[in-house]
Amino acid sequence: IWGYPVVILCLLCGIFFTVRLGLIQFRCFPHAVALITGKYDNPNETGQITHFQALSAALSGTIGLGNIAGVSIAIAMGGPGAVLWMWIVGIFGMATKYTECYLGTFYREESPDTKEVRGGPMYYITKGLGSNWKPLSIFYAISIILAAVGAGNLFQANQAAQALTTLRIDPIITGLVLFSLAAVVIIGGIKRIGSVASKIVPFMCVVYVLGALGICFMNLDLIPEAFSIIFNDAFSGRAATGGAIGSVIIMGVRRAIFSNEAGLGSASIAHAAVKTNYPIREGIVASLGPLIDTIVVCTATALVIILSGNFGTERYQMTSKSLNHYINFEQNERIGELPSNWSVTNQKIPGESEILRTYKDGGSVLSVNNNSQTTSYTTKPITLTDNAIKLSYFCQEGPMTITILNSNNSPIASVDINPKQQDQIINNTSFIDRVLNTSIIPAQESTGIKTVGFTYANEWKSGVITLDKNIIENLPQSNNQKPMVKLRFTTSNQPTTWLIDRIQSVKEAGGITLTTISFDEFFKGFGSLFITISVFFFAFSTLITWSYYGETAVTYLSGKKYIILYKCLFVGMIIIGSVQNLSVVLNFSDAMLGLIVIPNTIAIVFLSKKVLNATKDYFTKLKNGDIVAYK
């Protein structure tokens, strides 16, 4: 569901509304700032919350794990270039959010008893397109209820609980605390949600962004290099996947949509509760959402990760500093016997071409300079603390076969590496072909192992060899009960010149883990605490907002009859989410989240003429002085 069709649909919608509404996200920006500062707030207008509270409530549903974990996933899977595509989607998404939230406010309904107003895609699908479209609105309502319980509740509670385990807090304790806090806020309704969100979200955004900015100022001279990596990788894909630009684009677009929700229509539910008699104003305010979410907060996370150098194969990290699982050529530790043409040298070693990533350790490296004969070098045993081995290499010429051996010297699996040849494939492939073909240089796979990153020549780079679980389980173990392997490097009968360094046992870091270790690069120990606290508050704010999205959908389907039951079930699920592994439920809720894009985008495109007319009318009145500030 979250493959090309839905992702392209959201992107095309953003482009369509940007063009049709005349770059509305840029034209309305000054007025949007005036609206959220309260200059036009009239307490006598219809609605429950202010423009600022509505924006905060909507942002609390979007700013969260998508900005902390989602960005690191995009960089891990698509490379730093994915960040540029996140920016592009964020900018276009501002026009989509503008459209959704105007429609959600314009077609909202007011309860005759409580005077509460509710809106969102369920309402504008039926009221805007007609009663024949009601099955589509019912489908949207059911899907967003399931998504609210899964992605908006269970997932948030689970991640908050997992984050706090780093502080040795039992998940059930986290669940009970979240349960108590959420119950007080959720039962209080959208007024209390808006009030709490307007305090938590701005504070956490400022604190989080300031933390990232602090790191940027500490490394001000490296900022141009960080942006250069983003732009270069966006069109080459080399830092991530060896030429797979398609995967860079799809990952950037996908994570941006997950983060700012432009195209899902969910934010229009929160914005529909605003106090205003001018629905177009809420579209204007809502357009700031993707800007803050994707351009500001996501960029803050991305810069920290890139400045730390933890992208590409460098996201594979050692997880234990205490175990001796690192071959140090500088100190001649655990080198083993060196055959002819192999040596440990500190003479004429090429320098690293990158500023932000480090591939060498010290001054000495393993070297092979072979003209015409096949030679092999076997390391001493390497203790595996996880499922992968990473090594740095400089290939001047010639292929290399890397064989994994057990500690008894029995071969397990091998893979042939020819970086120079693979690099030539990338250089000789047209840009269009690289965009369309997401597997020009695929990860090499042999029986039981997979290699990533061996795609460069004449530069220091790192490559990773990942071992299957079945292989690891059958390996002989060391005295500390850890499996051990050896690496054998074998040259061919072709001229071969390689340099090798930093052979180590590693594990792939992604999601919150990658963000945490990146912050820790600059604030030792504090980074973990900072991210843990941020995750808790962002998860809580997302949880309470998505409770309201589900509540609105329940109201649309059955009126007030089941609201209390829904709220009780929702807060009760928090405890389950905090202590259970719910991958199946979460995958299902993510599917529901993807499916709601289809009815929502159909509706907003068909209603685009109404949005265009309302936009022209409002800005003409504003220009002529017919609309003035309230205070």
Side-chain angles (χ1 to χ4, degrees), residues 14 17 38 84 140 148 181 186 211 223 261 347 412 414 440 461-462 494 511 537 558 619 625:
F17 287 111
L84 175 63
Y140 184 96
L181 294 173
I186 290 170
I223 296 297
E261 298 177 17
Q347 303 296 315
I412 299 171
S414 64
I440 295 169
K461 292 293 174 183
S462 61
Q494 302 176 34
F537 281 104
S558 62
F619 280 97

Side-chain angles (χ1 to χ4, degrees), residues 119-124 136-153 261 263-270 545-557 566 570 588-589 591-597 599-600:
M122 301 82 67
Y123 294 90
Y124 59 70
L136 208 61
S137 64
I138 292 173
F139 172 77
Y140 184 96
I142 293 172
S143 296
I144 202 165
I145 290 171
L146 295 171
V149 172
N153 182 341
E261 298 177 17
L264 274 65
S266 51
S268 67
I269 300 173
T545 296
W546 272 87
S547 73
Y548 180 69
Y549 294 168
E551 177 187 334
T552 300
V554 171
T555 303
Y556 174 80
L557 294 173
Y566 164 79
F570 190 91
F588 180 74
S589 63
M592 294 298 100
L593 209 57
L595 286 174
I596 65 176
V597 169
N600 181 61

Side-chain angles (χ1 to χ4, degrees), residues 210-256:
L210 284 178
L213 285 177
I215 291 172
C216 291
F217 280 117
M218 289 165 57
N219 301 274
L220 206 56
D221 57 323
L222 298 177
I223 296 297
E225 178 69 13
F227 278 102
S228 174
I229 287 171
I230 291 172
F231 283 97
N232 288 336
D233 188 57
F235 297 104
S236 71
R238 294 180 57 154
T241 51
I245 300 180
S247 65
V248 178
I249 296 173
I250 198 75
M251 187 54 63
V253 173
R254 183 184 299 171
R255 299 323 305 182

Side-chain angles (χ1 to χ4, degrees), residues 520-541:
D520 268 341
E521 290 281 340
F522 306 100
F523 300 124
K524 297 296 183 185
F526 176 73
S528 302
L529 179 63
F530 179 71
I531 295 298
T532 297
I533 295 172
S534 298
V535 166
F536 179 83
F537 281 104
F538 280 143
F540 174 66
S541 63

